[in-house]
Amino acid sequence: MSYFDYLIFLFYPYVVLSIFVSVSIFRFFYRPYNWKTASSEIFEDKILKLGSNLFHFGILALFFGHLFGLLTPERVFQLVGLSSSLHQMIEIILGSAFGIITVIGVLLLTFRRLTNQMVLSTSTSMDIFVLVWIFFTLCLGLTCVIYSFLFERDGHLLVYLSQYVKNLLTFRFQAIDYLNMIPMIYRIHIFFGFTLFLVLPFSRLVHIFSGFALPTYLFRRIQIVIKKF
């Protein structure tokens, strides 16, 4: 295991987590009126509705699929009669379906943002960067799915990935030991996934946490809007 592996797959995730949490909290409490989707629906809504619905449906399914698939103890799957190989095949099928749905949504949103001059004029470089980064992260994820279907259908790879993530979250340095069993394409996908969480608090994507933060709105100062005449 090289120093680069330790840096990217052991220390980098904790750097990402620290920045993700601290910047999100700072932005929510000290830049509260910057915490928004900055919707451009007024300029175009047909492509937006289709692309946004596909993207949100797909990305939420992928997020919770990764969350429960990687963090659920193996014994739980065994109790319900789900073997490692069957579990991985379910992940392959559902991951492919939701991944394709999300890719289509991202492509529609990117096409809309780049081809509609009014939407483009209200976009920031971060808006475009995030869409492109999500697209490549999804493509890498779909490539991992294809790799699993062709070469790793016995379920062991999913177990190694699960152990890597669980050890990271419990601050155990032996998480890096499982990296030897994870193919390079998965490592690249993992890096892109971590980096997405790094840039998230600096983008409009922070609005996805608004539902969880809803109770804090009760204690915010009233926003005063002053019109210029």
Side-chain angles (χ1 to χ4, degrees):
M1 205 51 60
S2 66
Y3 289 114
F4 180 79
D5 291 323
Y6 278 94
L7 177 65
I8 298 299
F9 299 104
L10 188 59
F11 297 110
Y12 181 60
Y14 296 119
V15 173
V16 170
L17 180 63
S18 300
I19 295 175
F20 172 75
V21 173
S22 59
V23 175
S24 295
I25 292 175
F26 174 84
R27 186 172 173 183
F28 184 79
F29 287 104
Y30 296 97
R31 298 290 186 273
Y33 304 114
N34 183 255
W35 186 288
K36 57 185 179 180
T37 60
S39 176
S40 56
E41 184 177 1
I42 190 174
F43 302 124
E44 194 281 332
D45 63 347
K46 291 183 179 180
I47 298 178
L48 175 63
K49 287 180 180 179
L50 178 59
S52 181
N53 287 335
L54 290 174
F55 172 75
H56 284 87
F57 174 73
I59 202 72
L60 287 173
L62 290 174
F63 174 76
F64 287 109
H66 280 71
L67 187 68
F68 292 113
L70 294 174
L71 296 184
T72 302
E74 190 65 25
R75 69 177 76 92
V76 174
F77 295 117
Q78 295 172 354
L79 286 174
V80 297
L82 198 63
S83 65
S84 297
S85 58
L86 181 57
H87 178 201
Q88 184 147 341
M89 185 55 64
I90 292 174
E91 294 283 350
I92 289 172
I93 295 171
L94 295 181
S96 299
F98 292 123
I100 292 172
I101 290 172
T102 314
V103 165
I104 294 173
V106 169
L107 287 174
L108 287 171
L109 293 175
T110 305
F111 172 79
R112 171 183 178 272
R113 191 165 293 279
L114 294 178
T115 58
N116 188 302
Q117 290 303 313
M118 293 297 291
V119 176
L120 183 60
S121 65
T122 62
S123 301
T124 65
S125 56
M126 178 60 77
D127 294 334
I128 298 172
F129 173 80
V130 167
L131 284 172
V132 173
W133 195 267
I134 291 176
F135 173 75
F136 281 109
T137 304
L138 290 168
C139 289
L140 286 167
L142 289 173
T143 306
C144 291
V145 167
I146 295 172
Y147 180 93
S148 293
F149 180 76
L150 294 176
F151 306 110
E152 298 282 355
R153 281 185 280 178
D154 57 4
H156 290 100
L157 179 55
L158 196 59
V159 174
Y160 298 145
L161 287 167
S162 177
Q163 289 300 321
Y164 168 70
V165 173
K166 289 173 184 175
N167 277 273
L168 268 184
L169 292 177
T170 52
F171 301 97
R172 298 174 182 173
F173 281 5
Q174 56 262 42
I176 199 70
D177 296 336
Y178 293 95
L179 202 65
N180 284 324
M181 293 81 128
I182 300 174
M184 181 57 68
I185 186 62
Y186 277 86
R187 300 186 200 184
I188 300 173
H189 178 58
I190 289 170
F191 169 75
F192 268 69
F194 284 146
T195 305
L196 182 59
F197 280 93
L198 178 66
V199 301
L200 190 150
F202 299 97
S203 71
R204 67 175 70 195
L205 288 179
V206 291
H207 76 273
I208 64 178
F209 302 112
S210 295
F212 300 104
L214 188 60
T216 63
Y217 282 89
L218 298 174
F219 306 99
R220 279 190 174 179
R221 296 175 60 186
I222 297 175
Q223 183 179 10
I224 301 176
V225 179
I226 301 176
K227 296 183 179 179
K228 292 183 178 180
F229 296 97

